[in-house]
């Protein structure tokens, strides 16, 4: 778990970026959803990953930033 200050630091870091192509894959649970994972790079050298999830039937889209 991260502290509130660590959370604020991650959000305010404007150097975060994805330097690879994002490829959507079928959801591993065999739902109609698609998902991707990508490494997030920043100048601090933090280990971050982004997970995206989209269900075309419901129109729901979500992103999770994982540390």
């Amino acid at each position: 778990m991260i502290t509130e200050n660590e959370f604020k630091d991650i959000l305010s870091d404007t150097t975060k970026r994805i330097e690879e192509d994002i490829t959507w894959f079928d959801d591993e649970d065999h739902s109609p959803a698609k998902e991707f994972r990508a490494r997030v790079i920043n100048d601090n050298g933090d280990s971050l990953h982004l997970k995206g999830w989209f269900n075309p039937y419901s129109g729901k889209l979500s992103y999770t930033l994982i540390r």
Side-chain angles (χ1 to χ4, degrees), residues 6-60:
E6 289 171 320
F7 175 73
K8 289 178 183 179
D9 288 344
I10 290 170
L11 287 182
S12 66
D13 178 9
T14 60
T15 68
K16 292 186 300 291
R17 61 201 176 275
I18 296 172
E19 295 184 341
E20 60 189 63
D21 291 336
I22 291 175
T23 303
W24 291 85
F25 295 96
D26 290 338
D27 184 344
E28 56 190 39
D29 294 330
H30 306 291
S31 75
K34 303 288 185 184
E35 61 185 8
F36 75 85
R37 289 184 183 260
R39 183 170 174 234
V40 177
I41 299 168
N42 67 10
D43 291 350
N44 297 333
D46 291 334
S47 178
L48 301 171
H49 289 84
L50 182 67
K51 179 180 179 183
W53 182 90
F54 175 66
N55 185 326
Y57 294 143
S58 66
K60 293 182 179 179

